[in-house]
Structure formats: structure tokens, C-alpha cells
């Protein structure tokens, strides 16, 4: 298990968590500037982020980049960072706008089973 990337900062109390309120982290923004992020969308830091570009980023942005060295779902990032999903989406929008992350959307509904198949599974489970 990795240590939290933000744990060495003075503005964090291990028991209470970050002292900064979520709306302060996003500058009062509640909608991502560049895109909407599905909770299962995969996010990964790209070469620019891994090469140290991004001077002047907030600690939360740097923490996202540290966790996103390997592909992670948006919901997983929020969980690792112990931040609200809306806050993480806004911060991801910032990073996407700066070209520091890449996002991969889940496949569309075309690849999902039909309603008939799902009903058959439900009926089979009920029969158990």
C-alpha cells in the first residue's frame, strides 16, 4: 500500500484529514472546465506529467498525478485522496486542460448485454 502523496505537508492532520475545504481547492468551481468525467473513466498521467512539468500545481493536483502513474478510475482516485468526487472531477479537468493526464471513457452501451439476457440472469438468481 502506498503512502498518501500529500502526507508530508504541514497542512494535513492525519486524524482530521486536509484542513482546506473542498470548495477552496477548486476555487469555488463545481463543474470541470474541460470535460465531464464518468466515475468509471480511467485516468493516467502522461509523459509530460511524469517528466516533472506542472510547476505551480496545487498539492491535490500533484497527488492525483502521483496516483495516476498507473491507470485508475475516477472513483478510485477520489477514494485514495479522500476527496469528494465533484472536487476530483474539477481537479482532473484542470489537469486535462494542461495536458498532464489522459482519460479513457468506458465502452458504450453497445457492448453491454441486452435487457433479455439481464432479465434471464435475474430470473435465474431468483430461482436459487
Amino acid at each position: 500500500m502506498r503512502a498518501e502523496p500529500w502526507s508530508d505537508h504541514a497542512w494535513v492532520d492525519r486524524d482530521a484529514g486536509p484542513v482546506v475545504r473542498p470548495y477552496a481547492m477548486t476555487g469555488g468551481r463545481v463543474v470541470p472546465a474541460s470535460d465531464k468525467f464518468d466515475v468509471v473513466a480511467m485516468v493516467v498521467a502522461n509523459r509530460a506529467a511524469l517528466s516533472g512539468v506542472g510547476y505551480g500545481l496545487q498539492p491535490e493536483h500533484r497527488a492525483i498525478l502521483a496516483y495516476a502513474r498507473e491507470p485508475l478510475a475516477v472513483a478510485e482516485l477520489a477514494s485514495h485522496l479522500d476527496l469528494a468526487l465533484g472536487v476530483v472531477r474539477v481537479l482532473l479537468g484542470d489537469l486535462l486542460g494542461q495536458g498532464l493526464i489522459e482519460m479513457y471513457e468506458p465502452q458504450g452501451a453497445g457492448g453491454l448485454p441486452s435487457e433479455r439476457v439481464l432479465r434471464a440472469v435475474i430470473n435465474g438468481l431468483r430461482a436459487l
Side-chain angles (χ1 to χ4, degrees):
M1 181 172 191
R2 293 185 280 187
E4 294 88 359
W6 45 261
S7 62
D8 59 341
H9 295 287
W11 51 269
V12 173
D13 176 337
R14 181 147 312 272
D15 294 328
V19 179
V20 178
R21 296 283 182 209
Y23 59 84
M25 290 179 209
T26 64
R29 297 171 293 146
V30 294
V31 178
S34 56
D35 208 344
K36 293 183 179 179
F37 294 89
D38 192 289
V39 295
V40 294
M42 300 300 285
V43 176
V44 65
N46 61 23
R47 288 184 184 171
L50 298 177
S51 67
V53 174
Y55 173 77
L57 293 175
Q58 292 176 238
E60 296 81 17
H61 287 119
R62 290 193 299 272
I64 289 171
L65 293 175
Y67 279 116
R69 290 180 186 273
E70 298 174 4
L72 278 176
V74 173
E76 286 181 282
L77 276 171
S79 175
H80 285 304
L81 297 168
D82 196 25
L83 291 174
L85 189 57
V87 171
V88 172
R89 285 176 169 159
V90 171
L91 297 173
L92 286 171
D94 297 342
L95 293 171
L96 187 64
Q98 293 180 32
L100 297 175
I101 61 169
E102 295 178 20
M103 181 181 74
Y104 301 96
E105 291 287 338
Q107 74 178 25
L112 299 176
S114 69
E115 183 178 341
R116 182 182 56 78
V117 171
L118 293 175
R119 287 194 187 277
V121 170
I122 290 171
N123 290 336
L125 290 172
R126 285 183 181 150
L128 293 175

